[in-house]
Amino acid sequence: MTSRKKLQGLVAATITPMTPDGQINLPVIRQYVDYLVNKQTVKNVFVNGTTGEGLSLSIQERKQLAEEWVCQGKDKLDHVIIHVGALSLPESQELARHAAAIGAGGIAVIAPFFFKPTKKVRVEELLEGIKERIPTFQGVKFSDTDLLDLAQCVHKNEAQQLEFLYGVDEQLLGALAVGANGAVGSTYNYLGRQTNLMLEAFAKPDLALARKYQFLTGEFLNFVIKLGFGVAQTKAVMTFVSGIPMGPPRLPLLGASEEFIAKAKAKLDSIVWPDGN
């Protein structure tokens, strides 16, 4: 892996642009990278995760997307993290080797979720001795709401300087308070600039201002979650905010309704952020 910069701050869980007939739309990635860097001030990406419909894509498609993000992100992005988790262990290993070969900044892996252990393993337990087993291990995308578990992870691993990136966008401020280094999420595709301003306010510290940003992000997410908010709806929001066509989701998911798009756009347009935009 080529990247040596510290991974912190915001990481956009990237959307996979698709053509109207459901094929991956690789030419859009260049515009996508420039939009994230110039409009959202986000310079890290997490490719082929849940938001990117990674497990609905073929292995070849996942490789093509990884290659395009690494290519277009060169000298523009700080980190291109490729998710290589799969239900098949050999496929996951193949994707990991490919990510290394193309010069990705790192890989992320979700455990197989169909055949799985009956005992729930807390992240705190998972990290015990992990550096001895995986010397290149760098950290965790923590996507649970259990902040006690996250806090224990941070507390017990301070000496190892692991990165703990939070994955529940509407609760990021609480995670920062217990030591998260940053965040991986879908909203950073279109609310990255505002969330970065929240991070700046937290660092000052200006907690009152940081809360305003978090509350407004939560207000929007609470609104769209009640309408039904998933990958298809995220693609729709990104399309109308950025102007970049993200296309439909891959079946069996269905595209967002016109009613959802109209209501979500009106809600987002109605929010007045502390910086006046």
Side-chain angles (χ1 to χ4, degrees):
M1 300 300 177
T2 60
S3 182
R4 292 293 182 269
K5 293 182 181 179
K6 188 177 180 65
L7 177 58
Q8 57 187 358
L10 298 185
V11 184
T14 60
I15 295 159
T16 296
M18 292 187 181
T19 61
D21 62 351
Q23 301 303 308
I24 60 173
N25 191 359
L26 292 177
V28 170
I29 303 299
R30 181 177 182 178
Q31 184 183 2
Y32 196 163
V33 170
D34 290 340
Y35 171 80
L36 287 176
V37 173
N38 299 326
K39 299 296 185 180
Q40 297 299 335
T41 62
V42 172
K43 300 187 71 175
N44 306 298
V45 295
F46 185 98
V47 179
N48 288 337
T50 302
T51 301
E53 303 173 82
L55 292 172
S56 293
L57 305 175
S58 69
I59 296 300
Q60 184 58 33
E61 287 174 323
R62 292 175 70 171
K63 289 180 178 180
Q64 290 174 327
L65 281 161
E67 290 168 9
E68 193 68 15
W69 276 102
V70 169
C71 176
Q72 298 301 334
K74 186 178 181 182
D75 300 324
K76 295 180 180 179
L77 298 173
D78 290 338
H79 294 273
V80 177
I81 308 301
I82 307 298
H83 174 249
V84 300
L87 291 177
S88 162
L89 180 58
E91 287 185 350
S92 184
Q93 293 169 328
E94 179 183 345
L95 289 168
R97 286 190 292 267
H98 176 262
I102 64 174
I107 61 170
V109 187
I110 190 173
F113 51 84
F114 188 77
F115 297 113
K116 55 188 176 182
T118 54
K119 180 181 181 297
K120 187 175 187 293
V121 180
R122 290 168 61 84
V123 180
E124 175 192 354
E125 299 168 9
L126 174 69
L127 295 179
E128 292 177 1
I130 197 166
K131 279 291 234 182
E132 286 72 34
R133 300 285 298 274
I134 310 173
T136 57
F137 185 83
Q138 295 299 310
V140 174
K141 178 194 174 190
F142 192 101
S143 295
D144 197 271
T145 56
D146 185 352
L147 292 182
L148 173 59
D149 190 9
L150 175 61
Q152 289 300 297
C153 289
V154 173
H155 176 60
K156 291 185 176 183
N157 293 279
E158 288 179 318
Q160 298 194 70
Q161 297 185 318
L162 298 179
E163 308 299 334
F164 293 97
L165 305 175
Y166 198 55
V168 185
D169 302 13
E170 58 271 32
Q171 294 185 191
L172 174 56
L173 187 56
L176 294 175
V178 297
N181 306 97
V184 180
S186 60
T187 65
Y188 312 135
N189 286 289
Y190 53 87
L191 293 177
R193 185 182 62 81
Q194 292 91 337
T195 308
N196 268 319
L197 290 172
M198 184 184 82
L199 295 183
E200 291 175 14
F202 178 79
K204 282 184 178 180
D206 185 342
L207 296 183
L209 180 58
R211 281 196 298 268
K212 287 180 182 178
Y213 280 107
Q214 184 71 94
F215 289 162
L216 290 172
T217 298
E219 180 181 332
F220 174 70
L221 290 175
N222 188 50
F223 179 83
V224 291
I225 286 169
K226 289 178 179 177
L227 296 177
F229 193 58
V231 170
Q233 291 72 28
T234 296
K235 297 184 95 164
V237 171
M238 180 60 172
T239 296
F240 71 66
V241 172
S242 69
I244 303 171
M246 292 294 146
R250 179 156 287 180
L251 292 172
L253 298 181
L254 300 177
S257 67
E258 291 300 323
E259 179 185 12
F260 171 87
I261 294 171
K263 288 182 176 180
K265 187 176 188 304
K267 181 62 178 178
L268 197 54
D269 289 344
S270 74
I271 294 177
V272 178
W273 299 92
D275 64 342
N277 295 313

